[in-house]
Amino acid sequence: MSGLETSRKKVKYLDEYRNEVIARGVAAELARRVTRPWVLMEICGGQTHTLMRYGIDEMLPRGIELVHGPGCPVCVTSLETIDKAIEIAARRDVTLISYGDMLRVPGSRTDLFHVKAQGGDVRVVYSPTEALKFARANPDRKVVFFAVGFETTAPANAMAVWQAKREGLRNFSMLASHVLVPPAIRALLSSPRNRVQGFIGPGHVCTVMGCREYQDLIREFHVPIVVGGFEPLDLLEAILMLVTQLEEGRAEVENQYVRSVTPDGNAPARKILAEVFEVCDRKWRGIGGIAESGLRLREPYAEFDADRIFGTEALTAAEPAECISAEVLQGLKKPTDCSAFGKACTPERPLGAPMVSSEGACAAYYKYRRFAIAAKESA
Ligand code: SF4
């Protein structure tokens, strides 16, 4: 029996997914299987933080390099989308409602916190349902929900717009900037600079979407993808599964996160997504435009599209040159390669989104004191 199967049988409760003895067993199995260097990318920012928080990156055998992908929704929301939110929030007749992280993300000139400090009505919620409630209770306000994120958060946002249409709620709209994981992986693998040889897929996205849509990527690029969870043992197992495939010359979609992900995902969530949103080209912060990598409201829901209502569709913005988040998010550089890391750029005074977000790779390196990684790897 492999180490992987052994650990799967042994764990059931959440605290067991953090069991150091089992983790060390999986790491030992990993060390036995590795014969050469591999570069692996975890897509999701939540996974990045687990890897850092539990020191998994430091447990891995020499030669396995982890790079951190574009899976933090705050980090990849384009600068111009932030600028649009800021412009809309500054209007006296608008209440802009968002998740907390978005308030600190720097736009071209300011951020939503400063708009709030200057009298803008900017509020933080934990779900779009709260924004709907606020709109119902305040018919004299134009209520705009700032909706960002991957396939994970999109169904709840789709449901909010669907509900608003059903109720005829005229004062509710959405500034939607959703992004999709598979086109981002395709863009990374198509780049001549790509270094990634295997991906830990995002478990929460696949809980909604299933994992069948990753088969096309495997056929096209012959790079293994293992859908992983968010606990330390989940990630160690996913790494072990990836390395096993790579060492055996296989490239398949495998599912480590079987307690949550099924091949077809969540059918009702996918249905409401398809009803309200359609695929569109999307600009990713730091990375640029990726074809068919976003979701926008379909035409029957255009009356809820804040971009159209407030005339911000044509707004563009140039990204600051000093932030190398583009290369960090593509796995080409580590946060510690950035000259601003921990100096001009800190969580208190972030220059780029990966230092703002609780899921950002730069914030993870700063919080978990990975200051010397570059020096250690080059030694
Ligand atoms: S440390 Fe700051 S400036 Fe450097 S890449 Fe990260 S967010 Fe950008």
Side-chain angles (χ1 to χ4, degrees), residues 322-325 328 335 338-342 345-346 350-356 362:
E322 57 199 327
C323 176
I324 63 160
S325 63
V328 173
C338 177
S339 60
F341 177 80
C345 183
T346 63
L351 285 180
M355 189 61 95
V356 174
C362 299

Side-chain angles (χ1 to χ4, degrees), residues 64-102:
I64 295 185
E65 183 185 352
L66 294 177
V67 292
H68 320 296
C72 156
V74 174
C75 304
V76 298
T77 301
S78 72
L79 190 58
E80 57 207 37
T81 305
I82 305 291
D83 284 351
K84 286 177 185 184
I86 288 168
E87 189 172 314
I88 293 170
R91 293 177 53 128
R92 293 291 162 199
D93 56 347
V94 165
T95 296
L96 186 116
I97 300 184
S98 180
Y99 299 122
D101 272 5
M102 297 308 296

Side-chain angles (χ1 to χ4, degrees), residues 135-146:
R136 284 187 204 108
N138 296 274
D140 55 323
R141 304 291 298 164
K142 292 178 179 165
V143 177
V144 180
F145 185 66
F146 189 16

Side-chain angles (χ1 to χ4, degrees), residues 154 176-180 273 277-280 282 293-297:
S177 185
H178 284 296
V179 282
L180 303 170
L273 264 187
F277 289 122
E278 64 185 3
V279 173
C280 65
R282 175 74 73 218
S293 68
L295 294 174
R296 69 179 171 212
L297 291 168

Side-chain angles (χ1 to χ4, degrees), residues 149-159 162 178-180 205 208-209 213 266-279 295-298 301:
F150 288 84
E151 295 94 323
T152 330
T153 51
N157 294 337
M159 182 57 86
W162 181 85
H178 284 296
V179 282
L180 303 170
V205 166
V208 175
M209 303 301 288
E213 60 181 349
N266 181 325
R270 293 177 67 170
K271 189 170 172 210
I272 191 73
L273 264 187
E275 158 69 27
V276 173
F277 289 122
E278 64 185 3
V279 173
L295 294 174
R296 69 179 171 212
L297 291 168
R298 286 187 182 279
Y301 295 89

Side-chain angles (χ1 to χ4, degrees), residues 109-315:
R109 288 182 299 281
T110 184
D111 58 36
L112 286 167
F113 253 133
H114 282 89
V115 174
K116 185 174 172 64
Q118 286 162 7
D121 191 1
V122 180
R123 294 168 190 241
V124 172
V125 292
Y126 291 101
S127 90
T129 314
E130 293 176 61
L132 272 184
K133 262 191 213 162
F134 185 87
R136 284 187 204 108
N138 296 274
D140 55 323
R141 304 291 298 164
K142 292 178 179 165
V143 177
V144 180
F145 185 66
F146 189 16
V148 302
F150 288 84
E151 295 94 323
T152 330
T153 51
N157 294 337
M159 182 57 86
V161 174
W162 181 85
Q163 183 69 27
K165 186 175 175 73
R166 195 161 161 249
E167 292 179 24
L169 207 54
R170 296 273 163 240
N171 65 327
F172 177 82
S173 64
M174 184 170 281
L175 181 63
S177 185
H178 284 296
V179 282
L180 303 170
V181 170
I185 294 181
R186 176 170 282 106
L188 291 175
L189 290 172
S190 302
S191 166
R193 300 173 71 197
N194 174 54
R195 301 175 61 230
V196 181
Q197 295 162 295
F199 290 89
I200 303 173
H204 46 11
V205 166
C206 295
T207 299
V208 175
M209 303 301 288
C211 39
R212 288 195 202 281
E213 60 181 349
Y214 295 88
Q215 296 288 0
D216 289 345
L217 290 167
I218 303 273
R219 275 190 287 275
E220 203 174 332
F221 297 99
H222 199 74
V223 169
I225 300 172
V226 174
V227 177
F230 298 86
E231 293 298 323
L233 271 189
D234 287 326
L235 290 164
L236 267 173
E237 286 191 343
I239 293 167
L240 178 60
M241 291 165 80
L242 271 179
V243 167
T244 302
Q245 284 201 49
L246 287 163
E247 291 283 342
E248 293 175 358
R250 289 187 290 120
E252 297 166 13
V253 179
E254 288 184 325
N255 181 14
Q256 180 278 329
Y257 201 31
V258 288
R259 66 186 185 278
S260 181
V261 172
T262 61
D264 294 316
N266 181 325
R270 293 177 67 170
K271 189 170 172 210
I272 191 73
L273 264 187
E275 158 69 27
V276 173
F277 289 122
E278 64 185 3
V279 173
C280 65
D281 297 346
R282 175 74 73 218
K283 191 170 175 186
W284 295 52
R285 191 167 190 156
I287 297 174
I290 302 178
E292 300 187 344
S293 68
L295 294 174
R296 69 179 171 212
L297 291 168
R298 286 187 182 279
E299 202 54 40
Y301 295 89
E303 64 193 292
F304 299 98
D305 187 344
D307 217 4
R308 295 194 196 193
I309 293 168
F310 296 100
T312 52
E313 287 165 293
L315 199 152

